[in-house]
Amino acid sequence: MVDGEPNLTVLGELVVDLLPDPDAGAGPRGTAPRYVANPGGNALNVAVAAGRLGAPVTLLARLGTGPLAAALRRHAEQSGVDVSRFVAATEPVSLAVVGLGADGSADYGFHVAGAADWQWTDDELAAALPETTAVLHVGSISSWTPPGCEAIARLVERVSGRVLVSVDPNIRPALAEGPVGASLGNDADAVRTRLQRLMAHADVVKVSAEDFAWLHPRADLDLGTSVWAERGPALVLMTDGGAPLRVGRPGRPLMRRDIPQVSVVDTVGAGDSLAAGLFAGLLRRGVATREALTALSDDELGEVVDEAALVAALNCTRAGADPPTRAELDAARSR
């Protein structure tokens, strides 16, 4: 880092989420459901959530072509995200069609072949990374899909030890394996290997219980959180739907933190909002190095995690990825 405010840099994809409109019906024949195009994708959601919380945040993304591209940029800008490092790409924007279960859980169908998000090069990343980066968050589809995942891995290896590296696997099985995954150059073994390479340099790992189960079938979640924490990260944060969060730290007992109970509209962007709340909370407390993160007491870290959980819970009370502002978070805390 050089002189300047310690910055969160988020690296990943921009995705247009087509969300069903439950009030619109499906037309006279029941075959024409209406969808609303929402800006989405792990990286965009994390950056927007952090920006709304007042954290200094830069989004590194390859902005593809198509009529929805401008809305993706504008969505980030309106939340205070620095988009000056966007790469103007010639490939199309990624598209996800979202289905919602009765409990608000999301299912995804993807249209991403040849999309802009997977084409990162070493030169693009070297030019885009801000020198004030204190936390670099990578993960999701772009971090394990070729050819760009190789450039992302090399960037993580270059900055490891100089910035806090955060990894969120954010597995999408339809893209990680099977026929669609194969069309992108992915299979389960390759994706696991690519993620292991990233996590070998991670200081923070945020993972869902669902993703962990995909990576380690039949493994115990408590033990898995603790084992991952002993393998290198200073912090492992595992979400598990409405169950308590698991917090793993090397050499310390596993912590559990209850999550706020809210009326859930859907869970789209919940994990991304949690990650953003974590980063914003750490930076606001001056935690911008691995040493500072390690020095936090369990009580101090618990306060940060609890606040991040509230950010995620508030996101779930609204349709799509729509995280709260700092003022909304403060108002919720006061209640």
Side-chain angles (χ1 to χ4, degrees):
M1 289 180 5
V2 297
D3 290 342
E5 187 175 20
N7 183 80
L8 166 64
T9 298
V10 183
L11 167 58
E13 61 265 17
L14 302 170
V15 181
V16 175
D17 288 337
L18 293 184
L19 289 165
D21 182 351
D23 299 323
R29 296 180 179 84
T31 57
R34 184 178 299 177
Y35 289 84
V36 177
N38 277 20
N42 170 264
L44 180 60
N45 292 343
V46 171
V48 164
R52 290 184 182 181
L53 294 173
V57 55
T58 299
L59 177 57
L60 307 189
R62 303 183 86 254
L63 183 62
T65 59
L68 297 173
L72 292 167
R73 176 190 288 272
R74 188 163 60 251
H75 183 63
E77 289 176 328
Q78 289 177 344
S79 295
V81 178
D82 178 5
V83 299
S84 64
R85 308 301 179 107
F86 273 17
V87 173
T90 58
E91 302 86 6
V93 166
S94 297
L95 182 67
V97 182
V98 183
L100 297 177
D103 61 352
S105 60
D107 185 25
Y108 296 87
F110 291 97
H111 303 267
V112 297
D117 302 295
W118 331 131
Q119 318 303 327
W120 282 106
T121 68
D122 292 301
D123 289 344
E124 286 174 344
L125 289 173
L129 186 71
E131 293 182 315
T132 51
T133 298
V135 180
L136 173 64
H137 176 69
V138 304
S140 197
I141 308 163
S142 58
S143 71
W144 40 259
T145 294
C149 63
E150 293 299 315
I152 292 174
R154 287 190 289 268
L155 173 67
V156 166
E157 289 166 351
R158 287 197 301 273
V159 303
S160 177
R162 295 192 288 115
V163 307
L164 274 173
V165 173
S166 169
V167 176
D168 180 355
N170 206 19
I171 300 295
R172 296 290 179 256
L175 302 183
E177 57 186 338
V180 177
S183 72
L184 296 173
N186 291 329
D187 62 62
D189 288 341
V191 169
R192 290 187 179 103
T193 298
R194 291 164 189 156
L195 284 169
Q196 287 171 359
R197 181 180 177 185
L198 292 175
M199 288 190 285
H201 298 278
D203 301 293
V204 177
V205 174
K206 194 239 98 186
V207 63
S208 69
E210 185 178 15
D211 288 351
F212 184 85
W214 187 90
L215 290 164
H216 301 287
R218 297 177 297 278
D220 180 80
L221 298 180
D222 285 356
L223 179 61
T225 304
S226 298
V227 168
W228 271 23
E230 296 297 337
R231 290 181 175 175
L235 172 64
V236 176
L237 184 59
M238 183 184 290
T239 64
D240 191 8
L245 297 167
R246 294 174 173 86
V247 184
R249 307 178 79 183
R252 305 195 193 193
L254 182 72
M255 294 170 54
R256 290 177 178 271
R257 307 298 294 194
D258 290 331
I259 62 173
Q261 300 303 301
V262 297
S263 179
V264 175
V265 174
D266 65 52
T267 62
V268 177
D272 306 331
S273 297
L274 179 85
L278 175 70
F279 304 140
L282 291 175
L283 289 175
R284 193 169 64 255
R285 291 166 174 80
V287 179
T289 65
R290 183 182 177 104
E291 291 73 21
L293 176 58
T294 302
L296 283 178
S297 68
D298 286 347
D299 287 343
E300 290 169 329
L301 180 60
E303 291 178 1
V304 176
V305 171
D306 289 347
E307 185 175 277
L310 181 56
V311 174
L314 292 173
N315 175 84
C316 290
T317 65
R318 307 192 281 214
D322 188 10
T325 63
R326 166 57 55 186
E328 290 171 329
L329 176 63
D330 290 342
R333 290 179 64 189
S334 69
R335 294 195 297 270

